[in-house]
Amino acid sequence: VLGTVGMLRPDREPWRYLPIFSEVAKVFGSEVHFVIAGGGTEKEFNHMRSLVQEYDLEGKVHMPGLVTDSKLPCSIMDLYITLNIGAITGIAALEAAISGLPVLAYQMLQEYQRKSEDWIWSSINPIEIAERAIQLIKSPKELDELAKYQSAYVKANHTSEVMAHSYYDFYQVISGS
């Protein structure tokens, strides 16, 4: 199961996941399912449903609607796909990674160049993302190593405790203390 959690709004462009899912489904067929969890307008759900049909993903893409706790849909996922803006990702992706769920990203900045230090692999090309997802799904060891690396990275860099210490250090510097 591949999936994501986020609001189904036009500005979030949730339709970007469907070409990725379509390519993965071509390889794994009925063995793979996709979850797009999140609230949105009826208009956006209908738009997504029509695109699911267009990509021939009926019965494979599941949109349960609004979730108040991302842990529930993430608990059934093997790989989380998110939207990144440069090196910045969303809260749900951080939660997924810290829980041990590996994360890949659709890169929203056309000019962004992937860097070796990026903790989330990303691409502007849905085919590349699908190929990376397929590679990971076919290699449970690599998938597990990515999950462990990303979880450790989030714990070391993005927890509330780490951020509090960073802010404290920053204020010490600017106040001259």
Side-chain angles (χ1 to χ4, degrees):
V1 176
L2 283 72
T4 194
V5 176
M7 297 302 294
L8 298 182
R9 297 189 331 226
D11 64 314
R12 297 282 183 100
E13 302 181 9
W15 53 267
R16 289 188 181 268
Y17 297 109
L18 298 176
I20 299 166
F21 295 165
S22 177
E23 291 300 314
V24 173
K26 287 176 186 174
V27 173
F28 294 105
S30 62
E31 294 178 28
V32 68
H33 285 266
F34 312 97
V35 175
I36 303 174
T41 65
E42 190 64 30
K43 181 180 177 182
E44 194 62 25
F45 271 97
N46 287 337
H47 179 237
M48 289 294 291
R49 286 184 194 108
S50 71
L51 291 172
V52 165
Q53 289 176 336
E54 188 177 311
Y55 281 100
D56 196 26
L57 293 169
E58 290 176 284
K60 291 183 173 122
V61 172
H62 310 278
M63 296 183 293
L66 181 66
V67 294
T68 57
D69 184 354
S70 64
K71 290 179 192 140
L72 181 61
C74 286
S75 70
I76 65 166
M77 293 179 199
D78 299 294
L79 182 60
Y80 189 93
I81 312 286
T82 191
L83 301 176
N84 272 15
I85 300 173
I88 299 170
T89 198
I91 297 296
L94 289 169
E95 291 173 343
I98 204 166
S99 75
L101 185 58
V103 179
L104 297 180
Y106 189 106
Q107 183 53 250
M108 299 296 285
L109 291 180
Q110 294 295 313
E111 68 278 2
Y112 188 78
Q113 296 296 315
R114 192 170 47 240
K115 298 172 183 71
S116 61
E117 64 269 14
D118 288 352
W119 68 276
I120 298 178
W121 184 97
S122 68
S123 175
I124 61 170
N125 184 334
I127 302 299
E128 284 184 5
I129 300 164
E131 288 171 349
R132 180 73 175 126
I134 292 163
Q135 175 188 355
L136 288 168
I137 293 165
K138 287 182 173 181
S139 175
K141 181 180 179 199
E142 190 176 355
L143 190 68
D144 185 57
E145 287 171 356
L146 178 62
K148 287 177 182 172
Y149 165 76
Q150 289 177 327
S151 181
Y153 181 90
V154 173
K155 289 173 185 173
N157 294 283
H158 295 293
T159 64
S160 56
E161 295 83 14
V162 170
M163 297 304 289
H165 288 293
S166 295
Y167 283 121
Y168 177 78
D169 293 344
F170 171 73
Y171 289 122
Q172 293 297 312
V173 169
I174 64 168
S175 69
S177 301

